[in-house]
Amino acid sequence: MIRALVTIGALQFLSMLLLLIRTKILAVMLGPEAVGTIAVIDKLVAVIVQTLSLSLPFAALRFLPAALRESPQAMDALYRRMRNVLIGTIVSATLVCVAISVVAPSIWGRELAAHQRILLLAFAGMPVIAMVPFLTNAYAGNMEHWRAMRFAIANASGLVVAAAAAGIGLGLAGFYGVYAAVGGVLVVVAARTLVRIRHAARTAIPLKQAFQLPRAVWRFAAALVTLTFASPYAALFVQYTALRLYGAVGSGILQSAIGISMSIRALLGAAHAVFLTPHVNREDDASARMAWTNEFQRATVLLFIIVLPPLLVFPDVALRVMYSGKFVGASAFVALFIAAEVLTLLSGTYQSLIVADDRMLFHVIQNLAAQALLVGVAALAMPRLGLAGAGLAALVAPLFLGGSTLLFLRRRYDTHVSREAGLMALVTAGILVVGGSIGSRYPGLSPGLLVAKAAACALIWVVTYTIMPAQDRSRLRHGVVHLSHDVVARLARTKGAA
C-alpha cells in the first residue's frame, strides 16, 4: 500500500507543482489584491457548482465500483447517465448565473459588483469546474487510478496556461476566459474516452432513459444536497468576511495561508479519493473496512511525517516560494490552516466508513454541524483576532468531525482505531504543535535562524522515527528503498533508450 500511495503522491506532486506555478504567476504578476478577488469569486462559483452537481462527483466513487463488479457495461451505462444529468444541471445553472451577472450583478455582493466582466467569464467556466472532479472520480471509480491522476495533471496544466494569459496582460478576465476554453477541450476529450470497454460493446441508452439514475443514487444526492451547499458556503463566508473587514489585500493574505494548507490536500489527499474510497466501498464487512482503513491511515501518516516538518517550521519560506514576499504576513497563522487540513484528512479516512455503509443521515447532520461551528467561530473570532480567527475556525470543524466519527463507529459497529493507528495520529498532532509553534514564532531568513530551524526540523524527524511503531519504521525504510530502486531502474531504462 505504501508504494501505491507514494506513486499517487508523486503524480500528485507533479500536479501540485503545476498549481504552484499557476499561483506564483498570479501572485507575482497581479499581487495580493487580485489573489484576494480570485479567492472570493472562486468560492462563490464553488457554492453554485457543488450544490447543483448533486453530489455526482462523490457518487461516482460510491457507485461506479459496485457497478463495475456487475459488469463493465453496467459501469459504463451508469457513468453516462450520471454525466448527462450533471451536464444538464450545470449548463442550466451557467445560463442563469450569466443572465444575473448581466442584469443585476449586485446580487452577488457589493464588493463583487464592480467585477462584472470577470464574473461573467468565471461563470462561463462552471461546466468545466463541475466536470473535472466528476471525471477524475469516475476514472478512480473505474479502478483506473493512474488515469485519474494524469487527468488531474492535465487540468493543472490548463490552469497554468490560464495564469500565464493573465500574467501577460489579459488580467483576471483572461484567466477565467482562457481556462474555460482550455478546460472545455480537456473535459470533452476525457468524457469521450472514459470507458473500460470498446465502444462497440456499449449498451445503447434510449433518449428517454439518458437521464434516469438508480433510486439509490438519487437518495444519495438528496441526502447530501444540504451539505454540498453548506461546505462551500462556509468557505465563502470566511473569505467574504475577510474581504469585507480587511479589503482585497487582507483577503489575498488569508488565501495564501489557505493555499499553503491546500498544498497538503493536493499532495497527500488525492489518495483518499482515488485509492481509499473505491477500496473501502468494495469491502462488505464493517470489521474488514476498519482494518483496511487503519492500515491506510498508518501509511498516510508516514507521508505526513515526511512532508509536514519543513512546511511547518519554514512557513515564511513556503509563502515566498508559493506566492511572494508580499504574503509573508500569513506566516503567523498559517500553521492553524495546515493543522486543520491534516486533521480533516485524518478524520475523513474514518468518515469514509460511514458513507460506505450508507449512513448518510448521520453523515449529513455531522458535517452540517461542523460547518455551522466553522461559520459561528469565524463570525465571532475574525473581527477580534483578525485573519488568525479564520484559522481557529477552520481548526474547530475537523476536531469535531474526528471525535464524532470515532464515537459513532464505536457505538454503531463496535469498531475501534487500532493502537498503532492511534499512536501515529498522536505523532502527527505532536508534529503540528511543535513545528507550528516554531514556524509562527520565529520567522525570518537570517543564516543563523535558518540553521537553527533546520536543526529543529531534523530533530522532529529523528524523535518521530524513534517513537513510531516498529512495523511503521520498517514500512518507511522499505518504502524508501523500493522508491529508490524504482527511480534507479527508470533512469537506467531512460539511459538505455537514449
Side-chain angles (χ1 to χ4, degrees):
M1 184 184 295
I2 185 64
R3 292 186 68 184
L5 294 182
V6 169
T7 304
I8 292 174
L11 292 174
Q12 189 63 17
F13 180 69
L14 176 57
S15 178
M16 190 184 74
L17 285 179
L18 292 169
L19 294 176
L20 170 60
I21 294 171
R22 170 255 195 189
T23 300
K24 187 72 173 180
I25 292 172
L26 294 174
V28 173
M29 301 299 294
L30 303 182
E33 185 173 356
V35 171
T37 302
I38 288 176
V40 176
I41 292 176
D42 284 353
K43 288 177 175 61
L44 172 62
V45 171
V47 171
I48 300 168
V49 169
Q50 292 186 35
T51 302
L52 297 181
S53 291
L54 304 177
S55 301
L56 290 177
F58 193 18
L61 290 173
R62 175 69 178 84
F63 294 100
L64 289 183
L68 182 61
R69 285 202 306 268
E70 180 181 342
S71 72
Q73 288 85 356
M75 187 284 303
D76 178 58
L78 178 58
Y79 154 71
R80 283 187 284 156
R81 288 186 172 100
M82 294 171 73
R83 179 199 63 195
N84 294 341
V85 171
L86 180 58
I87 291 174
T89 58
I90 292 300
V91 169
S92 300
T94 298
L95 296 175
V96 172
C97 290
V98 168
I100 291 174
S101 300
V102 172
V103 177
S106 59
I107 288 179
W108 306 120
R110 181 168 55 87
E111 285 79 4
L112 294 180
H115 303 286
Q116 184 185 40
R117 182 164 172 259
I118 298 171
L119 281 171
L120 284 170
L121 291 167
F123 287 135
M126 288 202 317
V128 176
I129 296 170
M131 288 299 293
V132 165
F134 171 72
L135 291 172
T136 301
N137 290 348
Y139 277 124
N142 201 19
M143 309 310 291
E144 295 181 304
H145 311 303
W146 317 128
R147 292 184 69 184
M149 296 308 305
R150 288 198 295 268
F151 177 67
I153 291 171
N155 178 64
S157 301
L159 286 168
V160 171
V161 172
I168 63 175
L170 297 182
L172 295 185
F175 170 74
Y176 285 112
V178 170
Y179 178 65
V182 174
V185 173
L186 174 65
V187 162
V188 169
V189 172
R192 290 176 62 87
T193 58
L194 197 156
V195 59
R196 193 183 181 98
I197 58 177
R198 293 182 179 179
H199 181 78
R202 279 183 167 182
T203 301
I205 301 176
L207 180 60
K208 64 179 182 180
Q209 299 178 10
F211 296 88
Q212 292 182 3
L213 295 177
R215 188 171 298 176
V217 177
W218 286 121
R219 285 200 305 266
F220 184 86
L224 290 179
V225 66
T226 54
L227 185 57
T228 54
F229 167 78
S231 181
Y233 174 78
L236 174 62
F237 177 85
V238 172
Q239 197 74 52
Y240 197 88
T241 300
L243 178 65
R244 178 173 54 84
L245 293 177
Y246 306 109
V249 173
S251 176
I253 297 297
L254 173 62
Q255 180 57 32
S256 68
I258 296 173
I260 293 294
S261 68
M262 290 296 289
S263 67
I264 298 295
R265 179 183 298 181
L267 182 60
L268 302 178
H272 280 68
V274 303
F275 194 69
L276 170 66
T277 304
H279 281 82
V280 167
N281 280 280
R282 287 170 67 91
E283 299 287 348
D284 294 325
D285 179 68
S287 297
R289 286 172 175 166
M290 175 59 86
W292 202 95
T293 305
N294 278 327
E295 292 304 303
F296 179 89
Q297 188 81 305
R298 293 170 66 182
T300 300
V301 170
L302 287 177
L303 302 181
F304 283 153
I305 290 170
I306 296 170
V307 172
L308 287 179
L311 191 60
L312 290 164
V313 173
F314 298 99
D316 50 337
V317 176
L319 286 162
R320 290 177 185 275
V321 170
M322 191 168 178
Y323 291 87
S324 73
K326 296 179 181 179
F327 294 82
V328 294
S331 61
F333 56 85
V334 69
L336 293 173
F337 288 96
I338 294 175
E341 195 61 49
V342 169
L343 293 177
T344 297
L345 290 174
L346 292 178
S347 64
T349 299
Y350 293 102
Q351 279 187 287
S352 67
L353 299 176
I354 297 174
V355 176
D357 200 46
D358 208 24
R359 303 292 174 177
M360 299 310 299
L361 179 60
F362 174 80
H363 178 72
V364 170
I365 294 174
Q366 174 195 33
N367 280 271
L368 285 177
Q371 298 307 317
L373 278 173
L374 191 157
V375 170
V377 173
L380 293 174
M382 290 183 69
R384 296 167 175 80
L385 302 178
L387 298 177
L392 180 63
L395 192 58
V396 169
L399 287 173
F400 169 79
L401 286 173
S404 58
T405 295
L406 296 180
L407 181 62
F408 177 85
L409 292 175
R410 188 181 69 180
R411 291 188 173 182
R412 180 67 180 81
Y413 305 107
D414 194 28
T415 56
H416 305 266
V417 175
S418 66
R419 185 181 66 85
E420 294 81 4
L423 176 58
M424 293 294 277
L426 290 176
V427 167
T428 303
I431 292 174
L432 291 170
V433 172
V434 175
S437 299
I438 294 171
S440 60
R441 293 182 182 180
Y442 303 102
L445 299 177
S446 65
L449 181 60
L450 291 176
V451 170
K453 290 168 72 172
C457 184
L459 183 60
I460 291 173
W461 276 324
V462 170
V463 172
T464 299
Y465 182 80
T466 302
I467 64 177
M468 74 171 60
Q471 185 180 6
D472 292 296
R473 288 199 299 269
S474 177
R475 284 181 175 181
L476 184 59
R477 290 194 304 269
H478 290 163
V480 171
V481 170
H482 285 305
L483 181 61
S484 300
H485 287 168
D486 288 344
V487 171
V488 171
R490 289 179 183 178
L491 290 175
R493 287 196 299 267
T494 302
K495 184 177 179 180

